[in-house]
Amino acid sequence: MKTVIPSVPRTPLYIIIGTRGQFTKTAPLIRELDSRGIAYTLINTGQHTHSSYEIADIFGIRAGDHFVTNREQDIDKFSHAIFWFVKAFLAFMIRRRKF
């Protein structure tokens, strides 16, 4: 008797990265997904936009498909982190209302 596995729609895979450390730790997973041809969406929170491009280049991965915020400089002070959080939260709420 032949076993039939029902067709199940694939759940989209989202990877959310924001910091330099997360890029470094997640790079092997991203490379493996790319090598296996597994589709995913890479969301960059924009905390370290400048550095994420450099790190992505080093590891041979993309910096992001979508950016929550896109800063010219990396966040290196607490006040910058607060400003980034408010901006990211507002951007999220605005996008959420559109959908």
Side-chain angles (χ1 to χ4, degrees):
M1 179 184 231
K2 193 175 193 181
T3 305
V4 177
I5 300 172
S7 176
V8 178
R10 289 193 165 197
T11 303
L13 179 59
Y14 297 98
I15 300 173
I16 302 171
I17 297 179
T19 65
R20 293 180 287 262
Q22 290 172 344
F23 259 96
T24 303
K25 294 172 189 171
T26 311
L29 171 69
I30 293 171
R31 282 198 317 255
E32 186 65 25
L33 291 171
D34 286 340
S35 72
R36 293 183 182 211
I38 298 173
Y40 63 92
T41 300
L42 181 59
I43 300 170
N44 187 327
T45 64
Q47 290 170 274
H48 300 285
T49 304
H50 183 71
S51 296
S52 62
Y53 281 108
E54 293 174 355
I55 293 170
D57 191 44
I58 290 169
F59 286 107
I61 61 175
R62 57 188 189 262
D65 298 314
H66 301 284
F67 289 80
V68 176
T69 61
N70 200 352
R71 300 174 48 84
E72 291 292 323
Q73 297 178 330
D74 293 343
I75 294 174
D76 58 357
K77 295 181 182 176
F78 183 72
S79 60
H80 294 163
I82 296 291
F83 179 72
W84 170 85
F85 177 78
V86 169
K87 185 177 176 184
F89 180 75
L90 291 174
F92 171 76
M93 293 306 290
I94 290 169
R95 287 182 187 146
R96 187 173 177 199
R97 290 184 60 96
K98 287 183 179 180
F99 299 106

